[in-house]
Amino acid sequence: MDDKLAEYRRKKAKQFEKTKLTSSSFGPGSSRSSSFFNYLPFYPLLCKILNHLASTDSAQYIAHNWRKVPLFGRVNVLYWVLWALGYLIALEIEFGIVYLTSSMIGLIFLNLGTKKEGDISAYSVFNPGVGMSDQFSKLNLNPNAFEFVPGRNTSAPAFVPGASFGAPTPGPAPVKVEPPKEEDPEDDWDKDDDEPAEEHVKEESPAPVPEPEPEKPKKAEPVKVAPKVVTPEPEEPEEEAEEDGPVKDYVNVVFIGHVDAGKSTMSGQILKLTGMVDSRTLEKYERESKEKNRESWALSWCIDTNDEERDKGKTVEYGKAFFETEKKHFTILDAPGHKSFVPSMIEGASQADFAILIISARKGEFEAGFEKGGQTREHAMLVKTQGIKRLIIAINKMDDTNWDINRYNEILEKMKPWLLKQVGFKKEQIHFIPLSGFSGVNVKDSDISKHPWYKGPSLLDYLNDLPAIERQTTGQVRFCVAQKYKDMGHVVMGKLETGRLTKGKKLVVQPSGRKVKVSSMEFEDNPVAIGIAGQNLKIRLEGIENDDDVRKGYVLCDAANVCKRSACFDGRVQIAEYKSIISEGFTAVIHLHTAVEEVTVERLLGKFNRKTKKLEKFSGARFLKQGDQGVVRFRLPCQVAMELADNFPSMGRFTLRDEGKTIAMGVIKKIIE
């Protein structure tokens, strides 16, 4: 057994002597000069490089196993090594990087050749197994080679912390092992390579070495502070115990109708009958109105507080007031009736739960409002678009007709079919009441002697008996900003659609994304600690830096659950009254909850068939005309807070207006973010 082992060692030694690399192993005069590799380009350069590296142990091992690599694999290795060398040398990169990169690229392609029995792979060349390395060490090959110690470099200078890494003066071979020490590379880029070399020779260890180290803890300090930023301020809902559990339901009612129908007078009469306006204030209004020969306007001045509105007798901006009954707390929104102020009417209707349509029973006044172009028609359609599901038709000024039942029936026969068929209200959603806003008959108390043909409830009795509105008080916060002003900070006004607000609650403003905090709240000019869905609130905010952070049409949302924002959406629209056609590129003004923006029709996606009620693609020209329904893609100039109509109706319904007229209404079906 020992003889066989000795014979095996002698054979291996002879093979090694044939393949042993020396400083002249490569080149024209070597034993390998007869190979066809001599005819390859840049072969002399490769030979110089290989001769220079021939003394290393890894090179000896690779050369020993080189003959086992297939011929095609050798060609691939040399080709890619030369290609990498030429490319990297052209970029003037250091020789050490060239050597490492070229070796890696070449060995990747070492296995491309056709393998035969006994061939070895590139991995096995550089990573011999334990058994192979043991057998290889038993041969005592290259006895003059240094013993391999990882990280050892005999000619490298002593390491000095903080000093630069200059190139040592001895031979270049050991220098290539040292550069991987990348402990402080940033100090190296601003220094020259010549000056630090002299410092290394002196091997002086400077005293202020630890100075750069204290800078590292400074970077770690903010990490310790970060957990302290968590401020659990939702502890303030402790104040809910003071005002928790409201007894009355909060209802917002908007008064709509044609100009001079008596909306403001009706609002003032309700405030008078419910005791919300004291007798001294009423006497003052009567005295001032008599001086201007406007005695009949005294009640309207209870809600029309603007001098311009009092002088002209026309409501310009929607007014706000409140009254209470036995079961409910009502907020009055008195909308203007003139066609020039329809945007203000839409703003008021967007905050309402119910609508009271005031109609004048006088000859000519009802016809003027109900004809095409009249505000009676437009207002009824607008409140339906805003999602109001209950409409009360108050036929006013019945005392001027001596409570004529024929006039009442005439108005009823014209209004009821139109509201049910064209506007879209259901029979149980509408109710007609004859009354007189000026005298107060049938507003709070009925007088059967004047209207024996009507034995129904009065206006206030009907409102008080309405079923309670189901509101989402525990869900996400949605507060549409209707108005904004500055008063020792930024104050916003609007209706809290859903959720619950408390002092100190953190919110996010959409679409600006500004994070704010509730500083204080007021309901009907009275400070409150908690806001409930359905209330018309006045909120003072903290955290607003400029006026663009919060504007009219923005929405306050929960920080953890914000609403969507986009500048493009698909909506289903119905063209109401428009003489021309609507095609791609058409521009109009869109009213989306309290936001008012210009919008462009980007694309017409389809049109609903009037017979089958199904969506069909356009076969010819793409356009929509009066009476058509279709799906349209709209483009806004900026992002607007919105929601799908199916998920959040009050933020998913919109109105299109052009040239002072309402031309279409629709709902959002898809939001393109």
Side-chain angles (χ1 to χ4, degrees):
M1 188 71 183
D2 295 337
D3 297 338
K4 292 183 179 181
L5 180 61
E7 183 67 22
Y8 174 77
R9 289 182 177 179
R10 282 195 296 272
K11 288 183 179 180
K12 290 296 180 181
K14 291 180 180 180
Q15 293 179 1
F16 176 74
E17 290 295 333
K18 294 180 181 179
T19 59
K20 185 176 181 180
L21 297 175
T22 64
S23 60
S24 60
S25 296
F26 298 93
S30 65
S31 60
R32 299 169 177 81
S33 60
S34 59
S35 175
F36 77 96
F37 293 115
N38 294 328
Y39 301 97
L40 293 176
F42 302 107
Y43 183 67
L45 176 62
L46 178 63
C47 292
K48 291 181 180 180
I49 297 173
L50 295 177
N51 287 330
H52 182 72
L53 302 174
S55 60
T56 60
D57 294 342
S58 59
Q60 296 287 344
Y61 182 76
I62 294 173
H64 179 69
N65 294 278
W66 178 256
R67 295 183 180 276
K68 295 183 180 181
V69 178
L71 179 62
F72 184 71
R74 301 182 198 179
V75 175
N76 284 329
V77 170
L78 293 177
Y79 174 78
W80 287 105
V81 168
L82 291 174
W83 180 86
L85 286 173
Y87 177 75
L88 296 175
I89 291 172
L91 297 178
E92 298 182 1
I93 299 178
E94 294 182 2
F95 176 75
I97 301 176
V98 174
Y99 170 66
L100 294 175
T101 308
S102 60
S103 301
M104 291 172 60
I105 296 176
L107 290 172
I108 290 174
F109 292 90
L110 193 62
N111 294 322
L112 292 179
T114 305
K115 282 195 173 185
K116 299 179 182 178
E117 185 177 358
D119 291 348
I120 63 172
S121 63
Y123 180 82
S124 62
V125 171
F126 278 96
N127 298 278
V130 178
M132 183 182 293
S133 62
D134 293 341
Q135 293 178 6
F136 192 78
S137 62
K138 292 178 181 179
L139 297 176
N140 295 323
L141 302 178
N142 196 8
N144 298 325
F146 290 104
E147 182 181 358
F148 176 74
V149 178
R152 177 178 177 182
N153 190 358
T154 57
S155 59
F159 173 73
V160 179
S164 59
F165 297 91
T169 53
V175 177
K176 297 180 179 63
V177 183
E178 189 64 22
K181 296 183 179 181
E182 299 179 353
E183 294 193 17
D184 203 358
E186 296 181 358
D187 298 338
D188 231 4
W189 305 129
D190 298 334
K191 297 181 181 180
D192 297 333
D193 294 337
D194 298 330
E195 298 177 358
E198 299 177 359
E199 297 178 1
H200 280 290
V201 176
K202 296 179 181 179
E203 298 184 1
E204 295 179 0
S205 59
V209 171
E211 290 182 1
E213 296 182 358
E215 297 179 358
K216 296 181 180 179
K218 294 182 180 179
K219 298 180 181 178
E221 287 179 3
V223 180
K224 298 179 181 179
V225 179
K228 299 179 181 179
V229 179
V230 180
T231 56
E233 292 191 1
E235 298 179 357
E236 294 192 5
E238 295 177 357
E239 300 181 6
E240 295 181 4
E242 300 177 2
E243 299 184 15
D244 198 7
V247 179
K248 297 183 178 181
D249 184 24
Y250 297 101
V251 181
N252 299 276
V253 180
V254 60
F255 286 82
I256 60 175
H258 194 66
V259 63
D260 294 334
K263 298 182 294 297
S264 298
T265 302
M266 180 72 67
S267 302
Q269 186 67 252
I270 292 175
L271 296 177
K272 175 186 175 182
L273 296 175
T274 55
M276 302 308 299
V277 181
D278 57 276
S279 58
R280 288 187 179 182
T281 304
L282 287 174
E283 291 176 0
K284 176 185 176 183
Y285 292 158
E286 291 175 358
R287 184 172 61 255
E288 292 178 355
S289 61
K290 188 179 291 185
E291 293 175 358
K292 295 183 179 181
N293 296 326
R294 298 289 188 270
E295 297 181 14
S296 60
W297 293 1
L299 290 173
S300 65
W301 286 14
C302 295
I303 198 165
D304 291 341
T305 58
N306 192 355
D307 293 337
E308 180 183 357
E309 294 176 341
R310 291 183 176 183
D311 293 339
K312 295 182 179 180
K314 294 180 181 179
T315 304
V316 177
E317 296 180 354
Y318 70 94
K320 292 179 65 176
F322 71 94
F323 67 95
E324 293 184 350
T325 60
E326 296 178 0
K327 301 178 182 179
K328 294 180 174 61
H329 177 103
F330 291 92
T331 299
I332 296 177
L333 301 167
D334 182 28
H338 198 274
K339 62 181 180 180
S340 301
F341 310 118
V342 172
S344 180
M345 175 266 163
I346 297 175
E347 182 180 333
S350 64
Q351 307 174 51
D353 301 309
F354 301 148
I356 299 177
L357 178 60
I358 308 297
I359 294 176
S360 176
R362 290 178 181 174
K363 288 288 185 181
E365 291 186 1
F366 164 72
E367 287 75 13
F370 188 68
E371 291 177 357
K372 286 188 177 182
Q375 299 309 300
T376 301
R377 283 175 172 265
E378 185 174 6
H379 285 196
M381 296 176 67
L382 288 173
V383 295
K384 178 62 177 177
T385 305
Q386 295 297 327
I388 294 176
K389 298 181 179 180
R390 188 171 295 277
L391 180 66
I392 303 161
I393 301 93
I395 303 177
N396 192 22
K397 302 181 181 180
M398 285 297 296
D399 51 349
D400 291 348
T401 63
N402 291 325
W403 298 89
D404 187 5
I405 187 175
N406 295 326
R407 179 62 173 170
Y408 175 79
N409 291 333
E410 180 185 355
I411 296 173
L412 190 66
E413 291 174 359
K414 291 182 179 180
M415 286 292 300
K416 194 171 184 179
W418 178 77
L419 290 172
L420 296 177
K421 294 182 180 180
Q422 297 191 25
V423 180
F425 283 102
K426 298 180 181 179
K427 188 175 181 181
E428 61 274 8
Q429 293 178 341
I430 60 175
H431 182 74
F432 290 84
I433 300 177
L435 47 76
S436 174
F438 184 76
S439 62
V441 177
N442 219 18
V443 176
K444 183 179 180 181
D445 299 322
S446 300
D447 191 351
I448 303 297
S449 61
K450 293 183 178 180
H451 50 83
W453 42 269
Y454 177 78
K455 298 181 181 179
S458 63
L459 178 61
L460 294 182
D461 291 341
Y462 180 79
L463 291 174
N464 188 49
D465 294 337
L466 287 175
I469 302 174
E470 296 181 2
R471 301 190 186 278
Q472 188 178 356
T473 58
T474 59
Q476 55 195 3
V477 173
R478 294 291 184 269
F479 181 90
C480 300
V481 178
Q483 294 180 358
K484 170 203 157 185
Y485 65 91
K486 283 186 177 181
D487 182 17
M488 300 296 291
H490 293 266
V491 181
V492 295
M493 301 171 61
K495 176 187 174 185
L496 181 60
E497 298 289 346
T498 58
R500 199 179 187 89
L501 285 178
T502 55
K503 183 180 178 181
K505 186 176 181 62
K506 294 183 178 180
L507 303 172
V508 175
V509 183
Q510 288 287 77
S512 65
R514 171 64 63 180
K515 296 182 179 180
V516 297
K517 181 180 178 181
V518 177
S519 176
S520 61
M521 291 182 294
E522 292 184 5
F523 176 62
E524 308 295 1
D525 296 331
N526 296 320
V528 293
I530 181 174
I532 304 173
Q535 291 182 338
N536 221 288
L537 299 173
K538 186 185 296 183
I539 305 174
R540 190 181 303 275
L541 299 175
E542 294 179 0
I544 300 176
E545 297 180 357
N546 51 61
D547 294 339
D548 293 334
D549 291 341
V550 176
R551 294 191 298 175
K552 173 187 173 183
Y554 284 14
V555 180
L556 302 181
C557 311
D558 272 319
N561 189 0
V562 298
C563 67
K564 296 181 180 179
R565 57 181 180 179
S566 177
C568 184
F569 66 91
D570 295 344
R572 177 174 179 173
V573 298
Q574 179 177 2
I575 312 302
E577 295 182 8
Y578 194 63
K579 295 181 181 180
S580 183
I581 62 173
I582 295 177
S583 59
E584 296 177 355
F586 176 80
T587 59
V589 177
I590 185 172
H591 294 260
L592 178 62
H593 50 87
T594 57
V596 182
E597 296 288 346
E598 186 177 353
V599 69
T600 304
V601 176
E602 188 176 78
R603 187 179 178 187
L604 296 176
L605 302 177
K607 178 181 177 181
F608 285 92
N609 192 319
R610 297 188 180 183
K611 295 181 179 179
T612 61
K613 306 296 181 182
K614 294 182 179 180
L615 182 64
E616 299 177 353
K617 294 184 178 180
F618 292 95
S619 57
R622 295 173 176 264
F623 68 90
L624 295 174
K625 61 181 184 299
Q626 182 174 329
D628 289 345
Q629 290 189 23
V631 178
V632 182
R633 177 162 296 176
F634 294 98
R635 174 72 61 177
L636 296 163
C638 59
Q639 288 190 335
V640 176
M642 61 182 70
E643 291 282 2
L644 296 177
D646 297 336
N647 300 337
F648 207 96
S650 59
M651 291 182 61
R653 299 174 179 268
F654 62 89
T655 304
L656 296 179
R657 287 178 56 80
D658 183 44
E659 297 180 354
K661 296 181 180 179
T662 302
I663 61 174
M665 292 82 67
V667 293
I668 297 175
K669 289 297 184 181
K670 181 181 179 182
I671 298 176
I672 303 173
E673 299 181 357

